[in-house]
Amino acid sequence: MYVYVCYAGEEESVMLPLDDEKRECLLKDLQMEKLSDGYLYGWHATQGIEKLGNVHVDFDTDIEKLSKFAEWVLWACEQDTDPNPTEVFTAILYSKMRDHPVSVEEAIEITQNLDRYEVIPVDDAYEYGYEYLYGGNNDMTYSEFAESVEKYIDFEEYGKMRLEADGAIKTEHGYVIEHEYIQPVQSQE
């Protein structure tokens, strides 16, 4: 990702993440003593996460923090896992942007706590309810039980109830849930 840094009326762009050479060149070119002397006046993502450009960067955003974030983006783009960390991050980013712009600090916090989130790749309440009951559970006893009661379950209603209880937020990648948010489902009697 590129950032545009300004100091004393001079402007410079630099590709993140910063290594020692880039850091020294930036300091020298803008005649700064330390990176915190300058301020960001813009940035754009060059690879990785498509919605990265929607992360809110304040003028006083710490350039070193942004560089660490860029390191994570490069690492995540190289991972060959399913789901890829960039896909999970993008889904979480979408879910967070519904309430407010996501700051760099919030984006960094998300990358450091991906294990707190889960992306359920389904499109509606029915699929969510079905996935909640059947997804990832390989216990034969449970499977046999589930098959025997399946015809009695309204997966759409159950899914709506679970969506609300889980605080799930729909994104183009599926529903995002934050594990610390999940509340127990109350009986509706």
Side-chain angles (χ1 to χ4, degrees):
M1 84 181 54
Y2 277 97
V3 293
Y4 304 95
V5 182
C6 187
Y7 178 71
E10 296 294 321
E11 302 170 354
E12 209 45 59
S13 66
V14 65
M15 176 77 137
L16 296 181
L18 292 174
D19 56 21
D20 290 338
E21 183 180 333
K22 288 180 190 176
R23 187 177 289 102
E24 290 305 315
C25 283
L26 185 60
L27 290 170
K28 181 182 171 215
D29 290 349
L30 290 177
Q31 300 174 4
M32 297 185 297
E33 290 184 28
K34 55 190 183 294
L35 286 178
S36 60
D37 290 342
Y39 67 90
L40 295 175
Y41 68 91
W43 77 304
H44 73 273
T46 55
Q47 68 175 21
I49 304 166
E50 60 196 28
K51 278 298 224 185
L52 204 54
N54 289 336
V55 172
H56 181 68
V57 179
D58 289 320
F59 291 122
D60 62 349
T61 296
D62 185 322
I63 297 169
E64 292 290 354
K65 282 185 181 177
L66 196 54
S67 181
K68 291 282 187 203
F69 179 63
E71 281 181 36
W72 181 86
V73 170
L74 289 176
W75 168 84
C77 288
E78 295 171 355
Q79 301 308 300
D80 188 23
T81 59
D82 187 30
N84 182 282
T86 58
E87 294 168 0
V88 174
F89 176 79
T90 301
I92 296 165
L93 194 60
Y94 277 121
S95 73
K96 298 283 186 183
M97 289 185 321
R98 293 180 65 160
D99 298 329
H100 62 281
V102 175
S103 69
V104 171
E105 288 76 15
E106 288 174 294
I108 291 169
E109 187 271 332
I110 291 168
T111 65
Q112 294 171 343
N113 294 289
L114 285 179
D115 58 339
R116 282 182 43 198
Y117 300 91
E118 185 175 357
V119 178
I120 313 296
V122 298
D123 293 322
D124 57 35
Y126 177 91
E127 290 178 9
Y128 190 87
Y130 191 89
E131 181 67 24
Y132 196 87
L133 285 178
Y134 294 113
N137 193 324
N138 295 325
D139 181 349
M140 184 58 110
T141 306
Y142 176 83
S143 295
E144 290 172 356
F145 168 77
E147 287 175 14
S148 70
V149 299
E150 183 174 325
K151 63 184 173 188
Y152 303 105
I153 296 174
D154 182 343
F155 286 106
E156 184 170 6
E157 285 304 311
Y158 181 72
K160 287 177 184 176
M161 183 177 58
R162 284 293 349 153
L163 287 169
E164 185 177 331
D166 295 349
I169 297 174
K170 185 169 178 58
T171 71
E172 67 182 43
H173 303 278
Y175 287 92
V176 174
I177 58 173
E178 185 172 355
H179 289 290
E180 292 182 7
Y181 179 86
I182 296 175
Q183 303 296 317
V185 174
Q186 302 296 322
S187 173
Q188 295 184 351
E189 294 179 9

